[in-house]
Structures are given as structure tokens and as C-alpha cells.
Amino acid sequence: VSKDFDLQEFIPKEIYNAFRENSTWFINPTIINIAQVVRDISGVPIIINNWNNGGSYNNRGYRLPSSPIGAVYSQHKLGNAIDISSNEMNAKKLYELILANKGLLLLNGLSAIEDIRHTKTWVHLDCRFIKNKKEILIFFLVDFNNRF
């Protein structure tokens, strides 16, 4: 779906197996673009889902609304979010790199990132709608009473 990412990296196995290439219906193309921009600026491979390569990650992109993983109203369940990591750069460095390039990422649709204090081994990124967005929202899950 982009230069460095396959569709399966954004979609859980059960959805991909049911919809194949139509699985694009479940993921916002903006989050795909954001993943590619992070890959480009970091220069390292980025992991989202890796079930298609024998890995254990299946719910780091789109999540079914019935999924017990994450918050009830998670942006993942709207196809607007990804959780990323890399074997070549730790989560804290990825997080810092993203914030250091926030202008570029804002232009490409990034609107929110979860505070690294809550996501020590991954980085949550999403493209939720925020009216008059001028900054990236940095949130800590308990700030929203586990609603977002």
C-alpha cells in the first residue's frame, strides 16, 4: 500500500483473510502515509502488524470494534491509528524523532501521539480529526479515563 508497507501490516489477519485487497476499506489512507513518513525520516524498518511474516502482532493497526484490546473508543477501531516499533531504534528514540519532525508529520496528517511514559516499547500514532490542529496532541491514556 506504500513504498515500504504491505496492506497486511495495517490489518488483522481475520479481516485480511475475509476481504483481501478490499481490506483497504478498514484503514484510513492518512495513517498509511504517516507510517511511510516515519519510515522515511527514521531510515529504519518499522513494525506494525507482522502476522503475515510469522510474527505475533495482529492488532497494531485496525482493530475490530469488538476487540477487547485497548480503549473502547480507540482510534484503532476507526482505522485511524497504528502502534509502531523497530528492531533498530527503541521506542523512546522513535518518539523523540517524531516530535523533532512534528511539522512534517502534521502536514502529513498526524494529529496525536500517546505519551511515551505509557507506551515504553511502542509508539502510538493517530490521525483523529482535531479542528484547527496546530500541534500534535500528546496524550496519556488515563487523561481520558480510558475512553480514547
Side-chain angles (χ1 to χ4, degrees):
V1 290
S2 75
K3 183 177 79 173
D4 293 298
F5 292 98
D6 296 326
L7 179 57
Q8 296 94 320
E9 294 176 83
F10 295 90
I11 303 294
K13 185 176 185 176
E14 58 272 28
I15 292 293
Y16 187 79
N17 286 343
F19 291 91
R20 298 289 180 195
E21 293 307 310
N22 288 332
S23 297
T24 55
W25 297 343
F26 297 90
I27 196 78
N28 186 329
T30 300
I31 203 69
I32 295 170
N33 187 53
I34 290 165
Q36 186 60 56
V37 171
V38 171
R39 170 65 174 90
D40 292 343
I41 64 174
S42 69
V44 299
I46 299 296
I47 302 166
I48 307 170
N49 288 334
N50 60 4
W51 61 263
N52 60 319
N53 295 316
S56 62
Y57 295 129
N58 188 55
N59 286 288
R60 291 176 55 153
Y62 174 74
R63 291 181 190 150
L64 290 166
S66 60
S67 174
I69 298 167
V72 174
Y73 299 112
S74 168
Q75 292 295 309
H76 288 277
K77 295 176 181 182
L78 301 172
N80 290 336
I82 54 175
D83 293 334
I84 64 170
S85 58
S86 176
N87 290 331
E88 297 181 27
M89 184 180 289
N90 69 41
K92 187 172 191 288
K93 287 187 179 179
L94 267 174
Y95 179 86
E96 290 168 349
L97 179 73
I98 289 163
L99 292 182
N101 288 275
K102 67 181 180 181
L104 175 62
L105 284 153
L106 274 165
L107 285 173
N108 281 279
L110 181 65
S111 57
I113 185 169
E114 195 165 354
D115 192 303
I116 196 70
R117 293 174 296 165
H118 187 259
T119 61
K120 295 189 187 303
T121 60
W122 75 91
V123 178
H124 169 95
L125 305 171
D126 71 55
C127 58
R128 69 186 72 190
F129 176 75
I130 298 176
K131 189 175 181 178
N132 301 319
K133 175 183 63 171
K134 293 184 175 89
E135 288 291 325
I136 294 171
L137 170 67
I138 300 172
F139 69 95
F140 196 75
L141 196 57
V142 296
D143 292 345
F144 295 110
N145 225 0
N146 207 24
R147 292 177 293 163
F148 301 98

